[in-house]
């Protein structure tokens, strides 16, 4: 009997110790590290970690913001810059272009990309605990970013691991699927003027725009700008020609505006009439700000001398715009000057609501 009581006591102690040790979840505490100095001074105090970031900050003149303003910095490490530069130079090498360095990359691109990581206001993790996270703006250009807390898994428990921040470039889109997101490695480093959250080492500086922006080839000259014309569409926005998303905005060259129309498939077209016939051998289409299901996929381009008899110049089927505000250039063989150009849209990615930020006709010297 004594042995039985002893075994029961041991088993009870074992279960008590197990519960005390585990508790059914990972008891992660979001701890803050305090640094006696500014955000910029903190970066300087970490040699071998943020050298590339400091080089960029110094080059584009962001030191004052990091020293004097109330900010939150999502700090990419040297590894983030190394990945970005390697990706860029691999692409440039294939295009037989000279390699780039942080010291030589175009100032304007570095400035806007670096500014995305410097957020207005002091935002510790407590401020990001809403279910949908928190919308943020970069300090210098007011560009929309987003942050949200999430729990990782640990020891078999879903959401029982350490807390991290999902830090996102929203691409000015309300749809999560269009965002580019990275995570933090460490969080809540308090300085005298702000908070530093360190971004994971596998993050590529510039999100997904570093290579594309630095290998960008501008489209050929836009005849809508250099020549001008009279513009028309087969169907106007339901709000009329002065609506917020009226057809006039598809000709204005501004990707922030768009033309929206619900009613295709069917006979649906955009048209330009030049005062004098013009030779065009390229055109551009720019995707609008939100729902990619509204993007056109099938279309044909035509030219005419009188607006009645049309000649086929180009056609596309099953085209896809990879991102929002994406400008795509389409080239075609043509040496004839036409007074009218018309683009007919036959199919959308899904549904029957059409949108497009811009269309242009262009001339490329060959």
């Amino acid at each position: 009997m004594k042995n039985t009581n002893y075994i029961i006591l041991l088993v009870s102690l074992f279960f008590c110790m197990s519960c005390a040790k585990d508790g059914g979840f990972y008891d992660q505490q979001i701890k803050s590290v305090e640094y006696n100095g500014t955000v910029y001074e903190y970066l300087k105090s970490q040699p071998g970690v943020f050298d590339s970031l400091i080089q960029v900050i110094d080059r584009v003149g962001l030191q004052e913001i990091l020293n004097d303003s109330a900010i939150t910095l999502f700090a990419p490490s040297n590894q983030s810059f190394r990945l970005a530069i390697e990706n860029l130079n691999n692409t440039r090498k294939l295009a037989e272009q000279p390699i780039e360095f942080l010291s030589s990359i175009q100032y304007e691109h570095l400035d806007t990309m670096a500014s995305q990581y410097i957020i207005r206001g002091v935002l510790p993790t407590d401020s990001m605990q809403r279910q949908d996270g928190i919308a943020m703006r970069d300090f210098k250009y007011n560009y929309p970013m987003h942050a949200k807390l999430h729990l990782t898994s640990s020891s078999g428990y879903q959401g029982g691991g350490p807390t991290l921040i999902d830090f996102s470039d929203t691409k000015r889109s309300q749809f999560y699927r269009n965002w580019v997101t990275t995570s933090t490695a460490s969080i809540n480093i308090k300085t005298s003027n702000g908070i530093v959250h360190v971004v994971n080492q596998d993050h590529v500086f510039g999100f997904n725009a570093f290579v594309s922006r630095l290998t960008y080839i501008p489209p050929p000259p836009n005849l809508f700008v250099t020549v001008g014309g009279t513009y028309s569409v087969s169907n106007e926005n339901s709000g009329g020609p002065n609506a917020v998303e009226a057809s006039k905005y598809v000709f204005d060259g501004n990707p922030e505006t768009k033309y929206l129309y619900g009613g295709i498939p069917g006979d649906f077209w955009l048209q330009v009439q030049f005062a004098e016939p013009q030779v065009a051998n390229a055109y551009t289409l720019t995707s609008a700000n939100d729902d990619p299901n509204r993007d056109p996929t099938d279309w044909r381009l035509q030219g005419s001398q009188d607006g009645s008899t049309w000649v086929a110049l180009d056609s596309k089927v099953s085209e896809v715009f990879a991102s929002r505000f994406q400008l795509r250039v389409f080239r075609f063989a043509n040496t004839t000057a036409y007074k009218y150009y018309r683009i007919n849209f036959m199919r959308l990615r899904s549904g029957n609501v059409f949108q497009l930020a811009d269309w242009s006709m262009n001339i490329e010297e060959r």
Side-chain angles (χ1 to χ4, degrees):
M1 185 69 177
K2 289 182 179 180
N3 288 340
T4 302
N5 291 336
Y6 180 70
I7 292 172
I8 293 173
L9 178 61
L10 285 177
V11 171
S12 299
L13 286 173
F14 173 78
F15 278 108
C16 288
M17 291 173 64
S18 298
C19 292
K21 181 180 180 181
D22 193 329
F25 63 93
Y26 184 97
D27 189 16
Q28 166 71 9
Q29 300 295 319
I30 303 177
K31 297 180 180 179
S32 298
V33 175
E34 294 195 12
Y35 176 78
N36 185 24
T38 67
V39 170
Y40 183 74
E41 290 168 343
Y42 170 75
L43 298 179
K44 298 281 282 188
S45 74
Q46 305 294 313
V49 181
F50 301 114
D51 309 78
S52 297
L53 178 58
I54 292 168
Q55 181 182 353
V56 170
I57 288 169
D58 290 348
R59 186 174 167 215
V60 300
L62 295 171
Q63 306 97 315
E64 185 175 350
I65 292 176
L66 268 64
N67 271 320
D68 300 332
S69 302
I71 60 167
T72 298
L73 174 67
F74 287 84
S77 66
N78 290 339
Q79 175 72 357
S80 293
F81 287 90
R82 186 183 70 80
L83 291 171
I85 291 292
E86 284 183 356
N87 291 344
L88 171 65
N89 286 328
N90 287 338
T91 302
R92 292 179 68 86
K93 189 180 298 182
L94 291 173
E96 298 183 345
Q97 295 178 327
I99 64 173
E100 289 274 17
F101 303 92
L102 286 178
S103 58
S104 62
I105 287 171
Q106 188 175 348
Y107 168 92
E108 290 79 8
H109 288 305
L110 273 186
D111 179 40
T112 52
M113 284 189 283
S115 294
Q116 286 183 273
Y117 297 86
I118 305 171
I119 304 301
R120 186 178 301 276
V122 179
L123 301 173
T125 49
D126 291 348
S127 65
M128 304 172 191
Q129 291 180 340
R130 304 173 191 170
Q131 183 176 355
D132 294 328
I134 181 172
M136 309 178 298
R137 297 278 176 168
D138 89 50
F139 189 93
K140 189 172 182 181
Y141 295 107
N142 209 36
Y143 183 85
M145 304 292 287
H146 189 272
K148 180 181 179 180
L149 288 186
H150 82 267
L151 290 171
T152 58
S153 299
S154 178
S155 301
Y157 295 106
Q158 186 68 31
T163 301
L164 301 176
I165 303 172
D166 287 334
F167 179 50
S168 301
D169 176 357
T170 67
K171 301 297 180 182
R172 299 187 186 276
S173 172
Q174 61 180 315
F175 297 101
Y176 295 144
R177 61 177 175 267
N178 298 328
W179 295 6
V180 180
T181 300
T182 189
S183 296
T184 58
S186 57
I187 55 181
N188 284 352
I189 301 168
K190 291 184 178 180
T191 71
S192 60
N193 68 312
I195 294 280
V196 177
H197 303 299
V198 181
V199 177
N200 275 345
Q201 288 195 358
D202 60 1
H203 169 66
V204 180
F205 173 75
F207 292 86
N208 67 343
F210 191 81
V211 173
S212 60
R213 287 176 62 174
L214 295 169
T215 55
Y216 172 72
I217 300 174
N222 182 351
L223 292 172
F224 294 179
V225 174
T226 60
V227 176
T230 302
Y231 311 105
S232 58
V233 298
S234 59
N235 302 85
E236 184 54 84
N237 179 280
S238 60
N242 294 313
V244 174
E245 297 171 334
S247 64
K248 62 183 178 181
Y249 295 114
V250 80
F251 307 106
D252 67 355
N254 179 4
E256 300 289 338
T257 61
K258 71 180 181 183
Y259 168 40
L260 179 74
Y261 172 71
I264 69 169
D267 185 18
F268 180 77
W269 47 259
L270 315 177
Q271 179 177 294
V272 60
Q273 176 186 348
F274 294 114
E276 299 293 335
Q278 302 293 323
V279 176
N281 55 14
Y283 60 99
T284 72
L285 298 175
T286 304
S287 59
N289 63 317
D290 54 15
D291 192 350
N293 288 324
R294 299 170 177 173
D295 292 344
T297 60
D298 298 9
W299 61 83
R300 63 176 179 268
L301 180 74
Q302 299 171 306
S304 175
Q305 304 295 358
D306 57 9
S308 297
T309 303
W310 295 93
V311 177
L313 299 174
D314 190 44
S315 64
K316 299 295 180 186
V317 176
S318 300
E319 292 289 334
V320 174
F321 289 84
S323 61
R324 304 300 84 205
F325 306 103
Q326 182 186 9
L327 183 152
R328 298 187 61 193
V329 180
F330 301 92
R331 295 170 172 84
F332 59 96
N334 178 48
T335 57
T336 302
Y338 293 101
K339 190 171 183 177
Y340 297 83
Y341 288 90
R342 176 183 287 185
I343 187 165
N344 301 266
F345 295 101
M346 288 85 72
R347 188 167 68 94
L348 306 177
R349 189 165 177 175
S350 180
N352 65 351
V353 178
F354 167 90
Q355 69 177 16
L356 193 67
D358 280 302
W359 168 54
S360 71
M361 293 303 304
N362 306 67
I363 176 65
E364 183 173 55
E365 299 295 337
R366 295 176 178 172

PDB file of all heavy atoms in Angstrom, residues 10 39 77 112 132 148 221 246 352:
ATOM      1  N   LEU A  10       4.567  10.407  -6.914  1.00  0.00           N
ATOM      2  CA  LEU A  10       5.553  10.731  -7.938  1.00  0.00           C
ATOM      3  C   LEU A  10       4.884  11.170  -9.241  1.00  0.00           C
ATOM      4  O   LEU A  10       5.307  12.127  -9.890  1.00  0.00           O
ATOM      5  CB  LEU A  10       6.456   9.519  -8.194  1.00  0.00           C
ATOM      6  CG  LEU A  10       7.508   9.219  -7.139  1.00  0.00           C
ATOM      7  CD1 LEU A  10       8.282   7.948  -7.507  1.00  0.00           C
ATOM      8  CD2 LEU A  10       8.480  10.390  -6.986  1.00  0.00           C
ATOM      9  N   VAL A  39      18.228  57.698 -32.842  1.00  0.00           N
ATOM     10  CA  VAL A  39      18.139  56.571 -33.768  1.00  0.00           C
ATOM     11  C   VAL A  39      19.403  56.479 -34.616  1.00  0.00           C
ATOM     12  O   VAL A  39      19.966  55.389 -34.804  1.00  0.00           O
ATOM     13  CB  VAL A  39      16.892  56.714 -34.675  1.00  0.00           C
ATOM     14  CG1 VAL A  39      16.920  55.689 -35.812  1.00  0.00           C
ATOM     15  CG2 VAL A  39      15.613  56.563 -33.861  1.00  0.00           C
ATOM     16  N   SER A  77      19.510  45.473 -42.459  1.00  0.00           N
ATOM     17  CA  SER A  77      20.923  45.263 -42.146  1.00  0.00           C
ATOM     18  C   SER A  77      21.761  45.208 -43.416  1.00  0.00           C
ATOM     19  O   SER A  77      21.253  45.297 -44.534  1.00  0.00           O
ATOM     20  CB  SER A  77      21.097  43.955 -41.365  1.00  0.00           C
ATOM     21  OG  SER A  77      20.750  42.857 -42.197  1.00  0.00           O
ATOM     22  N   THR A 112      13.924  57.738 -52.191  1.00  0.00           N
ATOM     23  CA  THR A 112      12.549  57.302 -51.973  1.00  0.00           C
ATOM     24  C   THR A 112      12.471  55.898 -51.378  1.00  0.00           C
ATOM     25  O   THR A 112      11.598  55.609 -50.560  1.00  0.00           O
ATOM     26  CB  THR A 112      11.741  57.359 -53.288  1.00  0.00           C
ATOM     27  OG1 THR A 112      12.459  56.648 -54.312  1.00  0.00           O
ATOM     28  CG2 THR A 112      11.544  58.791 -53.734  1.00  0.00           C
ATOM     29  N   ASP A 132      -6.322  44.214 -37.663  1.00  0.00           N
ATOM     30  CA  ASP A 132      -5.894  44.500 -39.031  1.00  0.00           C
ATOM     31  C   ASP A 132      -4.566  45.252 -39.089  1.00  0.00           C
ATOM     32  O   ASP A 132      -4.168  45.732 -40.155  1.00  0.00           O
ATOM     33  CB  ASP A 132      -6.967  45.327 -39.755  1.00  0.00           C
ATOM     34  CG  ASP A 132      -8.251  44.533 -39.962  1.00  0.00           C
ATOM     35  OD1 ASP A 132      -8.150  43.305 -40.125  1.00  0.00           O
ATOM     36  OD2 ASP A 132      -9.335  45.149 -39.953  1.00  0.00           O
ATOM     37  N   LYS A 148       1.815  44.965 -38.814  1.00  0.00           N
ATOM     38  CA  LYS A 148       0.886  44.121 -38.079  1.00  0.00           C
ATOM     39  C   LYS A 148       1.663  43.090 -37.271  1.00  0.00           C
ATOM     40  O   LYS A 148       2.623  42.496 -37.763  1.00  0.00           O
ATOM     41  CB  LYS A 148      -0.062  43.414 -39.049  1.00  0.00           C
ATOM     42  CG  LYS A 148      -1.085  42.503 -38.377  1.00  0.00           C
ATOM     43  CD  LYS A 148      -1.970  41.821 -39.411  1.00  0.00           C
ATOM     44  CE  LYS A 148      -2.976  40.897 -38.744  1.00  0.00           C
ATOM     45  NZ  LYS A 148      -3.855  40.217 -39.729  1.00  0.00           N
ATOM     46  N   PRO A 221       8.794  58.352 -76.872  1.00  0.00           N
ATOM     47  CA  PRO A 221       8.044  59.603 -76.736  1.00  0.00           C
ATOM     48  C   PRO A 221       6.549  59.416 -76.967  1.00  0.00           C
ATOM     49  O   PRO A 221       6.119  58.728 -77.899  1.00  0.00           O
ATOM     50  CB  PRO A 221       8.671  60.499 -77.815  1.00  0.00           C
ATOM     51  CG  PRO A 221      10.076  59.985 -77.946  1.00  0.00           C
ATOM     52  CD  PRO A 221       9.982  58.503 -77.746  1.00  0.00           C
ATOM     53  N   ALA A 246     -13.721  59.304 -64.771  1.00  0.00           N
ATOM     54  CA  ALA A 246     -14.200  59.496 -66.138  1.00  0.00           C
ATOM     55  C   ALA A 246     -13.144  59.076 -67.153  1.00  0.00           C
ATOM     56  O   ALA A 246     -11.952  58.910 -66.827  1.00  0.00           O
ATOM     57  CB  ALA A 246     -14.579  60.964 -66.361  1.00  0.00           C
ATOM     58  N   ASN A 352     -16.879  42.002 -65.646  1.00  0.00           N
ATOM     59  CA  ASN A 352     -17.113  42.920 -66.766  1.00  0.00           C
ATOM     60  C   ASN A 352     -16.911  44.386 -66.396  1.00  0.00           C
ATOM     61  O   ASN A 352     -17.428  45.278 -67.056  1.00  0.00           O
ATOM     62  CB  ASN A 352     -18.523  42.720 -67.339  1.00  0.00           C
ATOM     63  CG  ASN A 352     -19.614  43.079 -66.344  1.00  0.00           C
ATOM     64  OD1 ASN A 352     -19.341  43.330 -65.172  1.00  0.00           O
ATOM     65  ND2 ASN A 352     -20.848  43.103 -66.803  1.00  0.00           N
TER      66      ASN A 352
END
